[in-house]
Amino acid sequence: MTSNDPGSGLSDLAREAVANVVAPEPPPAAATGPGDGRAHEKVERHDVEPVNSAASRSLYEKRRAIHPKLVHGVFRNIKWVVMAVTLGIYYVLPWIRWDRGPNAPDQAVLLDMPGRRFYFFFIEIWPQEIYYITGLLVLASLVLFLATSLFGRVWCGYTCPQTVWTDLFIMVERMVEGDRNDRLRMAKRPWTLGKFGKKLTKHSIWVLIALATGGAWVFYFADAPTLAVQLVTLDAPVVAYLFIGVFASTTYLLGGLAREQVCTYMCPWPRIQGALVDDQSFLVSYRTDRGEPRGAHRKGDTWEGRGDCIDCKQCVVACPMGIDIRDGDQLECIQCALCIDACNDIMDKIDRPRGLITYDNFDNMERREKGLAPRTRLLRPRTILYAALIVLVGAIMLAALVTRSPLDVNVLRDRNPLFVMLSDGSIRNGYDVKILNKLSEERLFNVTVTGLEGARLSTLTQTGLETLPVAVAPDRLRNLRVFVSVSAEQTGLVEDGVADIDFVITDMMDGREVRNATTFRVPDQR
Amino acid sequence: MTDNADNKPGHAEPDAHVDAYTGVQTTGHEWDGIRELDNPLPRWWLWTFYACILWAVGYWVLYPAWPLASSYTTGLLGYSQRELVTEQVAASREALREYDVQILAGALSDVPGNPAVHSVALAGGESAFGDNCAPCHGRGGQGFKGYPNLNDDAWLWGGTLEDIQTTLRHGIRWDIDPDTRMNDMPKFLDDGILSREEVADTTQYVMSISGRDADPEAATRGAEIFAAQCSVCHMDDGRGNKELGAPNLTDAIWLYGGDQQTIYASIAHSRRGVMPAWQGRLDEATIAKLALYVHSLGGGEPSAPVAEVFGDVLPEESLPATEGGVQE
């Protein structure tokens, strides 16, 4: 390597960048000295470093254990409520009953794989209607886009299953092993029977939660009460136990052991969100203009000439991702706002206004620097577009749902031979007519053909019919072999050897009509 | 993994082979000023790699692996893909045999009444048709000149399930089978039975009874010759006789063609279509399936008398009294 190598210039730049980040921060020891007796007595101080600090972190370092401290406040309460509601929905949904008549399952939400039907309350989806699922996924992602452009990763912070279950697992950990300080102390202690007992209790409860999670999952795929009995009596299909095993082990692994690593390393969403967030999006932010310069503050000292941040690091210890929000918006942040609760609590104690850490946007930060008033702009081209797309896709899906026919007809024309001449000179074409009855009761249909004068229908057992009555069993597809024939004289009316005809299938009970266009062929006219 | 203690800024003078920022040695490779760090492989990667090696060794021992001069190492598990396939084929044959037993249990006409067995029979018949019959009768049974169309309602030797089954078993003019369907039409001109003029007159008569334009005078002369020579087999009205395989000459279907020249050639030189007997080549169950399939193509005749089934539905005139005859 030579001195004028571009590589060395690059590393100089990197070194400089790191130095800039590190320099303004005073050494942690100075702020948390044990002899600091005159600091605010009510404020607990923490010696903690964010896990993602570029200055101190090696690429090859083992995971640093994160022990989030319990906080109280608005956002923590929202998270408890969201957790209760989402988990409640997940565990209760398969047990809701829905009367669909005698031939259909009475489970409100059922993904019936062997029967090839999805049931969602009043909606019943057949395999050929799987686009409803596609539509739902499109709709879900659009809602996610809209929410992200408005409030950043609110999905990640509150409703993502990974967040909900991790929160639940941390709650269990806190109940068994105590809050952050207890856990830290226990981690340093050697193994004793008491420590082993606590760990065993914690992991046992985790495994039970994981099993309940996997167990609830399989209820979506079979009649829940029946399957529950089968599971207990060991009569359930092997695949049910297999899936419980798979989902229980992934829940335990991802929610209990991997936790924030899933969000940081496995999830693609942090990489995508950058394209959805703009300078108007409200993100969990540290207000530098209010907080800096930060530092320890003794009671009675003046607040003049310094920021409101007393560098107590409550925001860092509250963070389930183990980061420092004061470093700015960063990839690891799941926008759960627990740091806001933690900081507001401290602000109350030191008698400073709340909102040092708050939902804020880049635009307002710049405006404050310029001395302008902050503003809220929820209606922007981006959010209007997402909202419009949501309305559009929703309207299309609704229209498709409302105009959905309980009857599907498909007509396949014989190609070999194209036509058959019968002994009396008449011409006959063969068709496979598939009639799909999506209702849970038997329907009687009339099959007729229009567009060809004198056409007669026949099957292998009936001949010379004008209308062919067909019964289709509930929830079934019936495949009919239908022949259409016209007399020798009538074939002369068919021009160019092809006539466009329609198969008309009429529901004899409600008069609903489905037409399916096809052709009738005769030998080329000489 | 390796904890690089020296990755802090302000590291000592960059060595020629040590990256200044990370403090990691480089491999010495350089592309446009970009150097490759000589970092160790991640531990999870190494363990996966070692596990793969162990797996491979276990595989060599347990499964067939090494080729020898004339054979191969069979492995401790005795696993063989070929044997597995053979077993599976045998098992599926065995499963189908149950259907074969049901197909052959009663009368052939009972099978359509049992949809489960019938659909298996039709599928088996279709596949056997493709293997054995399609070369002459076409993939869809549509036939060719001289090879009957099996979709239509004209049958030389009868179109009931039993008739089709007999034809399949014994063939047509298949000399080796003593029970084969046999008849021979004389070569009226070649054998010196009729003169050229008489053959021409008979041709005109045959065209007249099938509704084609004909010379009335010649047709009248031909009628006498027809009554003397042809009506024995084709019956007085020319509607043929399925007992003898004599075609109906009055319908719209002609096996070799219904124009004057072709009919003349047929009378003068005769026609002698041959179909092999399939008994002995195909098992009884396959022949039964083929009969069921051909019958289902759309022109099969009911085993019961025609009038019983169709009488109420079809107007009288559209029903030929007898069927059979030459097909086009």
Side-chain angles (χ1 to χ4, degrees):
Chain A
M1 188 190 288
T2 52
S3 58
N4 58 359
D5 190 285
S8 66
L10 209 61
S11 54
D12 284 344
L13 269 178
R15 205 179 307 147
E16 201 178 310
V18 171
N20 281 339
V21 172
V22 178
E25 255 187 282
T32 60
D36 194 11
R38 280 184 298 160
H40 290 266
E41 312 86 56
K42 289 175 283 183
V43 177
E44 190 188 4
R45 298 187 162 274
H46 291 276
D47 179 13
V48 63
E49 222 178 65
V51 297
N52 62 350
S53 148
S56 61
R57 188 192 204 193
S58 156
L59 211 52
Y60 294 94
E61 194 177 73
K62 266 181 75 174
R63 177 199 178 217
R64 279 188 231 167
I66 296 168
H67 293 286
K69 182 173 151 57
L70 179 63
V71 296
H72 301 280
V74 181
F75 295 105
R76 180 64 262 182
N77 289 340
I78 293 176
K79 266 173 82 80
W80 288 133
V81 171
V82 171
M83 184 203 277
V85 169
T86 50
L87 287 178
I89 291 173
Y90 176 70
Y91 287 114
V92 170
L93 204 53
W95 298 89
I96 300 173
R97 302 290 101 183
W98 194 269
D99 186 21
R100 289 192 183 86
N103 294 310
D106 61 351
Q107 188 157 322
V109 176
L110 178 67
L111 309 176
D112 183 3
M113 292 294 186
R116 290 175 179 77
R117 300 275 190 292
F118 288 176
Y119 301 94
F120 296 102
F121 297 93
F122 62 95
I123 305 173
E124 187 183 323
I125 295 180
W126 287 57
Q128 61 270 42
E129 295 169 327
I130 202 74
Y131 51 79
Y132 283 117
I133 308 285
T134 316
L136 271 182
L137 290 175
V138 170
L139 209 54
S141 47
L142 286 172
V143 171
L144 192 55
F145 291 173
L146 178 63
T148 306
S149 65
L150 288 176
F151 302 111
R153 291 166 73 185
V154 279
W155 163 260
C156 298
Y158 298 91
T159 37
C160 174
Q162 173 65 22
T163 287
V164 171
W165 263 280
T166 302
D167 221 19
L168 183 65
F169 278 42
I170 291 176
M171 188 187 89
V172 170
E173 190 170 75
R174 196 174 282 134
M175 275 162 44
V176 177
E177 298 178 354
D179 204 4
R180 175 180 159 86
N181 293 343
D182 298 328
R183 296 208 296 271
L184 282 176
R185 266 197 295 280
M186 197 174 86
K188 283 183 192 138
R189 275 207 305 273
W191 281 95
T192 60
L193 212 59
K195 181 175 174 180
F196 181 77
K198 279 187 176 176
K199 292 266 180 203
L200 188 69
T201 313
K202 178 182 84 175
H203 285 277
S204 303
I205 300 176
W206 279 6
V207 167
L208 284 178
I209 294 174
L211 281 174
T213 308
W217 182 258
V218 295
F219 289 141
Y220 284 87
F221 294 85
D223 185 55
T226 317
L227 184 64
V229 175
Q230 286 175 337
L231 285 171
V232 174
T233 57
L234 300 181
D235 283 334
V238 180
V239 68
Y241 294 106
L242 191 78
F243 271 94
I244 291 178
V246 167
F247 283 97
S249 53
T250 47
T251 307
Y252 176 74
L253 185 74
L254 300 183
L257 305 180
R259 293 189 191 174
E260 83 287 348
Q261 298 179 94
V262 175
C263 312
T264 308
Y265 302 112
M266 292 167 69
C267 180
W269 190 231
R271 282 92 193 158
I272 298 168
Q273 63 162 340
L276 300 169
V277 170
D278 56 29
D279 60 359
Q280 301 289 343
S281 307
F282 281 87
L283 309 176
V284 175
S285 318
Y286 166 68
R287 277 186 55 187
T288 333
D289 60 304
R290 239 193 81 183
E292 298 297 324
R294 65 180 86 150
H297 178 264
R298 289 178 186 79
K299 202 168 185 184
D301 282 3
T302 175
W303 288 97
E304 286 299 316
R306 55 156 296 147
D308 283 351
C309 177
I310 58 169
D311 206 17
C312 62
K313 310 234 173 151
Q314 291 287 352
C315 54
V316 182
V317 296
C319 180
M321 303 297 293
I323 59 170
D324 189 343
I325 191 64
R326 295 174 300 172
D327 293 344
D329 186 38
Q330 48 208 297
L331 179 140
E332 287 88 346
C333 180
I334 57 170
Q335 308 275 326
C336 65
L338 290 182
C339 49
I340 299 183
D341 282 344
C343 190
N344 282 346
D345 197 31
I346 298 300
M347 289 299 116
D348 290 349
K349 284 176 179 168
I350 62 173
D351 294 327
R352 301 299 294 172
R354 291 180 158 218
L356 176 58
I357 303 175
T358 184
Y359 272 103
D360 200 1
N361 61 34
F362 294 117
D363 184 40
N364 283 348
M365 286 177 206
E366 282 177 10
R367 289 174 67 86
R368 281 202 199 87
E369 269 177 31
K370 291 176 194 156
L372 298 166
R375 61 178 178 187
T376 306
R377 282 177 59 207
L378 295 181
L379 285 180
R380 315 191 292 275
R382 177 192 288 263
T383 55
I384 292 167
L385 176 70
Y386 291 145
L389 283 173
I390 289 170
V391 171
L392 181 71
V393 174
I396 291 173
M397 282 183 64
L398 196 68
L401 200 66
V402 168
T403 58
R404 180 176 179 271
S405 166
L407 166 65
D408 243 11
V409 177
N410 211 339
V411 176
L412 285 173
R413 198 179 175 290
D414 280 5
R415 295 184 185 280
N416 188 9
L418 281 171
F419 50 79
V420 174
M421 181 186 269
L422 299 183
S423 51
D424 61 0
S426 61
I427 298 297
R428 193 184 70 194
N429 284 199
Y431 303 85
D432 279 324
V433 179
K434 293 172 200 284
I435 302 179
L436 186 57
N437 174 17
K438 297 182 198 167
L439 295 174
S440 56
E441 55 190 17
E442 188 181 68
R443 304 296 269 188
L444 205 58
F445 300 107
N446 261 340
V447 180
T448 49
V449 162
T450 61
L452 189 62
E453 211 173 313
R456 289 288 176 274
L457 303 175
S458 55
T459 65
L460 287 176
T461 50
Q462 299 165 283
T463 330
L465 308 172
E466 270 189 59
T467 37
L468 172 68
V470 183
V472 185
D475 244 18
R476 284 281 174 279
L477 171 81
R478 182 150 182 201
N479 202 351
L480 280 175
R481 188 104 178 96
V482 180
F483 299 106
V484 177
S485 46
V486 291
S487 66
E489 299 80 54
Q490 226 85 38
T491 57
L493 302 175
V494 178
E495 282 172 27
D496 298 329
V498 186
D500 291 321
I501 61 167
D502 277 346
F503 268 86
V504 184
I505 285 81
T506 317
D507 189 325
M508 285 167 76
M509 295 172 196
D510 62 10
R512 187 186 288 274
E513 207 180 83
V514 172
R515 305 176 84 88
N516 202 300
T518 180
T519 57
F520 184 90
R521 284 175 188 270
V522 301
D524 278 340
Q525 305 293 307
R526 287 153 289 268
Chain B
M1 289 268 88
T2 349
D3 215 344
N4 299 307
D6 292 345
N7 63 357
K8 297 238 164 63
H11 178 62
E13 279 299 296
D15 187 282
H17 299 293
V18 175
D19 176 63
Y21 176 58
T22 59
V24 174
Q25 282 220 331
T26 66
T27 57
H29 308 153
E30 185 187 322
W31 297 271
D32 295 337
I34 299 171
R35 286 167 210 283
E36 186 185 14
L37 298 186
D38 191 12
N39 278 317
L41 288 166
R43 196 171 288 161
W44 68 265
W45 193 97
L46 278 176
W47 283 118
T48 310
F49 180 57
Y50 297 144
C52 288
I53 293 173
L54 275 180
W55 179 272
V57 172
Y59 201 97
W60 285 344
V61 178
L62 295 175
Y63 285 90
W66 294 99
L68 305 175
S70 60
S71 66
Y72 59 90
T73 58
T74 51
L76 291 180
L77 291 183
Y79 175 83
S80 164
Q81 187 94 59
R82 184 184 295 253
E83 267 171 38
L84 210 63
V85 170
T86 316
E87 276 168 27
Q88 282 167 352
V89 169
S92 57
R93 286 235 171 91
E94 195 53 49
L96 278 177
R97 198 159 295 139
E98 282 175 29
Y99 284 101
D100 288 357
V101 170
Q102 289 189 59
I103 290 168
L104 297 176
L108 214 47
S109 50
D110 292 342
V111 176
N114 185 343
V117 179
H118 193 216
S119 63
V120 172
L122 292 186
E126 187 174 6
S127 110
F129 189 90
D131 286 349
N132 300 288
C133 317
C136 294
H137 290 285
R139 195 68 190 81
Q142 77 275 26
F144 301 102
K145 186 171 184 171
Y147 300 92
N149 181 346
L150 304 175
N151 290 276
D152 64 22
D153 58 349
W155 297 90
L156 291 167
W157 297 90
T160 67
L161 274 170
E162 294 75 17
D163 287 337
I164 297 170
Q165 192 180 29
T166 306
T167 306
L168 278 160
R169 275 182 188 150
H170 302 294
I172 311 259
R173 299 184 192 91
W174 191 250
D175 297 337
I176 306 151
D177 189 326
D179 297 324
T180 193
R181 304 243 193 224
M182 181 59 85
N183 74 359
D184 258 327
M185 173 165 151
K187 302 168 182 175
F188 284 97
L189 181 66
D190 301 348
D191 294 350
I193 303 169
L194 299 175
S195 68
R196 285 176 194 280
E197 291 72 28
E198 286 169 324
V199 172
D201 289 347
T202 314
T203 302
Q204 290 301 317
Y205 175 69
V206 169
M207 289 178 71
S208 74
I209 60 172
S210 70
R212 291 172 183 243
D213 294 335
D215 174 7
E217 257 180 57
T220 314
R221 290 196 298 274
E224 278 173 41
I225 304 164
F226 187 89
Q229 301 289 348
C230 315
S231 62
V232 183
C233 294
H234 291 283
M235 312 306 281
D236 290 341
D237 53 6
R239 285 178 183 268
N241 183 349
K242 277 186 243 189
E243 296 291 313
L244 301 167
N248 181 348
L249 303 176
T250 63
D251 67 12
I253 293 169
W254 298 85
L255 184 55
Y256 292 92
D259 57 297
Q260 184 185 334
Q261 211 173 348
T262 311
I263 296 173
Y264 181 94
S266 296
I267 299 170
H269 314 300
S270 174
R271 302 286 185 184
R272 199 179 188 279
V274 175
M275 170 169 138
W278 294 94
Q279 199 170 46
R281 300 186 186 204
L282 301 176
D283 58 53
E284 266 303 292
T286 309
I287 288 177
K289 288 179 202 168
L290 273 172
L292 286 160
Y293 171 70
V294 169
H295 189 264
S296 80
L297 284 175
E301 295 170 339
S303 298
V306 171
E308 262 180 45
V309 177
F310 293 93
D312 299 334
V313 188
L314 269 189
E316 276 296 318
E317 59 270 24
S318 73
L319 273 180
T322 51
E323 279 169 299
V326 214
Q327 307 184 338
E328 186 176 303

